[in-house]
Amino acid sequence: LFSHYYVKEGCQLIQKAKGYNDENESISSIEDQLFQTLADSSPGVDHLTTVRSLVKIGSAIARSSRRQYAPNIILLGMKGLIHCLGSNNIEVARAHVFVGEVFYSDLKLYDDAINQFRLSLPLLLNELGEESEEVFDAIILCGKTYVHLGALDTALEILEKICPNLQGPTQIDVQIKIASIYLIKGDPKAANSILVKARQKTTSKDLLKRIDTMRGECMDFHRYTI
């Protein structure tokens, strides 16, 4: 969601970090003080470019063996972005979603992820409306994150509420996630019922495989609990 705001020129400001490869977005070595210095630069066009780049570099590091450095770098970039644009800016809202995805998918820092999604949603809703795909994406990510936090009822409430507004593969993916939550909660019958309905709506081999695999898990659950 945030990637279209990245500019290659910004990455040039990070070259002192040594070993940044723009082609595969990897970085081989890090000088911590550099990132703090860049983040503290005076506000302006160059500073905005720099803080955007900090977020991107941090997200690249999150996929590397040195991912422990990523959260601090990303949050430095976010702090600078908010300082430049203000907290009620659509780019900042999209950045919160982007960063939340990095925390969720790459760093497995679910508390941090949910905080980013929460910060994004009010502005996305206000600027884009309730029917925006970006809003749907952020809400879905919230629901999935709550699963990892163990808040199953909250996750279920969020995903079941948003699911009727979705279409195509996105809706099927959410239905599979809802079914998985029911299975975790010990209700394979409810899970299987959702999966049967989902199966009727898709011809995707990948989705059908996921559905059938989970239906098998439902049958196994029932078999071992009777």
Side-chain angles (χ1 to χ4, degrees):
L1 294 175
F2 187 52
S3 59
H4 55 290
Y5 285 100
Y6 294 149
V7 286
K8 281 193 174 182
E9 289 79 1
C11 295
Q12 294 173 2
L13 298 172
I14 314 297
Q15 291 302 315
K16 292 180 183 178
K18 298 180 181 179
Y20 178 69
N21 186 323
D22 187 55
E23 185 174 331
N24 61 18
E25 297 186 324
S26 64
I27 192 165
S28 59
S29 60
I30 301 164
E31 293 178 8
D32 292 335
Q33 187 57 40
L34 169 70
F35 295 106
Q36 184 65 58
T37 301
L38 290 171
D40 291 341
S41 301
S42 300
V45 175
D46 288 343
H47 186 227
L48 180 58
T49 299
T50 300
V51 295
R52 285 171 175 161
S53 299
L54 283 173
V55 176
K56 182 169 186 178
I57 297 299
S59 69
I61 293 170
R63 298 190 296 273
S64 75
S65 61
R66 306 194 72 179
R67 61 180 55 87
Q68 70 270 21
Y69 295 99
N72 185 49
I73 296 167
I74 291 171
L75 292 177
L76 279 173
M78 285 300 299
K79 181 179 179 181
L81 194 66
I82 293 168
H83 182 63
C84 287
L85 300 177
S87 58
N88 294 321
N89 179 279
I90 190 64
E91 179 179 340
V92 172
R94 286 172 169 143
H96 282 306
V97 177
F98 174 81
V99 168
E101 286 191 86
V102 174
F103 282 133
Y104 173 83
S105 300
D106 299 317
L107 297 172
K108 315 301 182 189
L109 298 174
Y110 301 116
D111 284 314
D112 294 300
I114 202 68
N115 287 337
Q116 293 295 322
F117 298 141
R118 283 172 175 167
L119 288 169
S120 75
L121 275 170
L123 186 58
L124 289 178
L125 283 165
N126 185 59
E127 292 289 327
L128 304 177
E130 294 182 356
E131 300 302 314
S132 164
E133 288 189 13
E134 288 186 51
V135 171
F136 291 162
D137 288 341
I139 292 172
I140 292 167
L141 285 165
C142 275
K144 291 182 176 181
T145 304
Y146 275 120
V147 174
H148 289 279
L149 290 171
L152 300 180
D153 291 335
T154 301
L156 201 56
E157 181 181 356
I158 290 171
L159 296 176
E160 287 187 327
K161 185 175 181 180
I162 196 70
C163 193
N165 298 316
L166 306 175
Q167 296 180 351
T170 301
Q171 185 183 58
I172 303 301
D173 180 71
V174 170
Q175 286 180 304
I176 293 171
K177 177 59 70 173
I178 291 171
S180 73
I181 296 171
Y182 275 113
L183 193 57
I184 294 171
K185 288 170 64 70
D187 192 346
K189 184 176 180 180
N192 187 64
S193 177
I194 293 166
L195 293 169
V196 169
K197 294 176 182 177
R199 202 180 196 287
Q200 296 170 351
K201 298 178 182 179
T202 184
T203 58
S204 165
K205 291 182 179 179
D206 178 63
L207 289 172
L208 288 172
K209 182 178 179 181
R210 289 174 59 195
I211 290 169
D212 290 342
T213 298
M214 187 166 292
R215 289 190 69 194
E217 293 174 7
C218 290
M219 292 177 66
D220 290 340
F221 187 99
H222 181 72
R223 185 180 300 119
Y224 290 121
T225 54
I226 59 175

